[in-house]
Amino acid sequence: MPTAPRPAAPATAPPPSAAPSLTERRKAATELEIARAAAALFAERGSAVTADDIARAAGVALRTFYRYFRTKEDAVAPLLAVGVRQWLAELRRLAGEADGRSVRDVLEQAARQALTPSDERAAEALRWTRGLLRVMRDDPALRSVWHRVHHDSEEALIPVLTEVTDGGPLEVRLAAAAANTAMRVAVETWASADDGADARAEDPAELVARGMRALTAGLPGLDRRRV
């Protein structure tokens, strides 16, 4: 899921029960550094970027690159997905607060925060994502990675929403699909806007809030929380 990532290890699934080992943390850090290099190069040069270009920009050998990623397009997945764990953790945290807010309101706030950069590095990552989305228009392989990341994000949302809503399996899946689609469409809309467009219209956090309200309007189970 594309978000404004805070510094953290990338993930496409909920956090494991045990803390990651040092080796796992180093692997995740290397993956993310390669992903940042790949995103920057794709955003700058488009599909002409090669795996060797990415490896050199990341400061690793080409053999090392292929130990982590099967294709040059796969290399951007950790950056696109790095916000998944943070979004889910923030959603759980907000849902655990006894403040009377509905699941719908919690979803909107967590989504806003996910698309609001916390520092310059996070803002840069969001700009890279915008560049990637523009390149994806003419690159089916990159689009495939983007949609795979969103599929994983939607699947990861289901157990989180199951914990906080009292809706049935269908409503939970619909809520996960609605929230995930709102995130995807907001970022895609923001990325496709002309650089000179109105600043409010380009704000992905505002776009995701509007999309979340529209897509979850028919899900009454989000008006309350599991007690």
Side-chain angles (χ1 to χ4, degrees):
M1 177 178 62
T3 66
R6 281 70 174 164
T12 57
S17 56
S21 67
L22 178 60
T23 298
E24 290 169 332
R25 293 197 301 273
R26 286 174 173 167
K27 179 178 182 292
T30 300
E31 283 183 338
L32 190 53
E33 284 305 311
I34 295 173
R36 288 187 177 115
L41 287 173
F42 275 117
E44 178 185 350
R45 305 182 195 171
S47 300
V49 171
T50 67
D52 189 50
D53 292 334
I54 297 169
R56 281 190 281 106
V60 301
L62 185 60
R63 182 165 48 186
T64 300
F65 174 90
Y66 280 118
R67 281 208 302 267
Y68 286 93
F69 303 105
R70 186 172 56 87
T71 68
K72 64 180 184 179
E73 292 84 8
D74 285 337
V76 303
L79 183 68
L80 294 176
V82 69
V84 171
R85 178 171 293 177
Q86 294 153 345
W87 184 26
L88 299 183
E90 184 65 10
L91 183 57
R92 283 192 178 100
R93 185 187 71 78
L94 292 172
E97 294 178 350
D99 55 10
R101 283 179 300 170
S102 66
V103 174
R104 190 189 319 280
D105 290 340
V106 167
L107 269 172
E108 181 180 326
Q109 183 177 344
R112 278 183 176 276
Q113 291 180 0
L115 293 179
T116 301
S118 60
D119 53 33
E120 179 51 36
R121 192 168 197 183
E124 184 177 48
L126 201 55
R127 290 193 294 269
W128 287 337
T129 299
R130 188 180 200 184
L132 280 170
L133 283 167
R134 291 179 171 183
V135 173
M136 283 177 197
R137 297 169 186 168
D138 303 310
D139 192 321
L142 276 176
R143 285 202 307 274
S144 177
V145 174
W146 172 250
H147 289 296
R148 186 174 74 236
V149 167
H150 273 281
H151 171 78
D152 292 345
S153 175
E154 184 173 319
E155 290 297 310
L157 270 171
I158 291 171
V160 178
L161 291 174
T162 299
E163 293 174 8
V164 299
T165 72
D166 57 4
L170 176 62
E171 188 164 40
V172 168
R173 290 196 68 92
L174 287 172
N180 187 62
T181 300
M183 292 286 280
R184 178 180 60 79
V185 172
V187 178
E188 290 176 349
T189 301
W190 169 70
S192 65
D194 293 336
D195 291 333
D198 178 77
R200 180 179 174 83
E202 287 190 349
D203 181 3
E206 176 62 25
L207 289 171
V208 75
R210 287 162 50 194
M212 199 77 73
R213 291 181 216 125
L215 292 178
T216 64
L219 298 172
L222 298 184
D223 292 326
R224 55 190 180 274
R225 297 193 207 175
R226 181 187 292 274
V227 295

